[in-house]
Amino acid sequence: MHTQEIIGTHPDVKGQTNQALIRAIEECYDCGQSCISCADACIGEQEVTRLRQCIRLNLDCADICFAAGAIATRRTGSNEEIIRSTLESCMLACRLCADECQKHAQSHEHCRICAEACQSCEQACQQAVQSLGATH
């Protein structure tokens, strides 16, 4: 990804990038894609009815991840409160999705991979939130 490179060129950033936030942005997009792919694979499974909650959480998590990645990418002006709140929502969605995917991980490799992506994204978002400092 070119996240750091492109954000580093932003006139308001002037090369001073927040590495934890950059990692969270990249993890959000990776997790969102993983969740969409997992949901699609779940739809293709024979026991799709048993995977309904997994599909729902995959799609919800993907939407939140993509939104968090987009909001955290914007550097013009300042809106750390919304960035923080969105990353915290992303952490919750990732935790819930990972927990659900873990229930199916032994039977479905796509669920195991998705759970890992969700856990990695949750951790990256937590670190990014911490890097933003205290809430005012």
Side-chain angles (χ1 to χ4, degrees), residues 11-31:
D12 289 352
V13 174
K14 296 180 179 119
Q16 301 298 312
T17 57
N18 176 333
Q19 294 304 310
L21 191 58
I22 297 291
R23 180 170 169 259
I25 292 165
E26 292 174 347
E27 291 285 346
C28 283
Y29 285 118
D30 180 65
C31 186

Side-chain angles (χ1 to χ4, degrees), residues 25-132:
I25 292 165
E26 292 174 347
E27 291 285 346
C28 283
Y29 285 118
D30 180 65
C31 186
Q33 184 279 323
S34 296
C35 287
I36 288 174
S37 186
C38 186
D40 186 61
C42 286
I43 291 168
E45 295 290 351
Q46 291 295 318
E47 69 280 0
V48 66
T49 303
R50 190 174 71 83
L51 297 168
R52 285 177 55 174
Q53 184 64 12
C54 190
I55 294 165
R56 169 60 193 256
L57 289 171
N58 279 173
L59 296 175
D60 288 349
C61 189
D63 287 344
I64 292 171
C65 283
F66 289 138
I71 289 168
T73 297
R74 296 181 192 126
R75 300 287 83 209
T76 300
S78 176
N79 202 351
E80 283 193 5
E81 189 174 351
I82 293 296
I83 293 171
R84 182 180 293 103
S85 176
T86 306
L87 291 173
E88 288 169 349
S89 294
C90 190
M91 290 163 45
L92 174 61
C94 287
R95 183 173 44 80
L96 295 174
C97 190
D99 289 349
E100 183 65 26
C101 280
Q102 284 287 48
K103 294 177 186 177
H104 311 287
Q106 287 191 337
S107 303
H108 305 293
E109 183 69 2
H110 53 84
C111 287
R112 183 195 64 76
I113 294 166
C114 188
E116 287 179 3
C118 288
Q119 291 164 346
S120 182
C121 186
E122 180 184 9
Q123 292 170 358
C125 288
Q126 176 64 44
Q127 292 170 353
V129 167
Q130 292 170 350
S131 78
L132 295 174

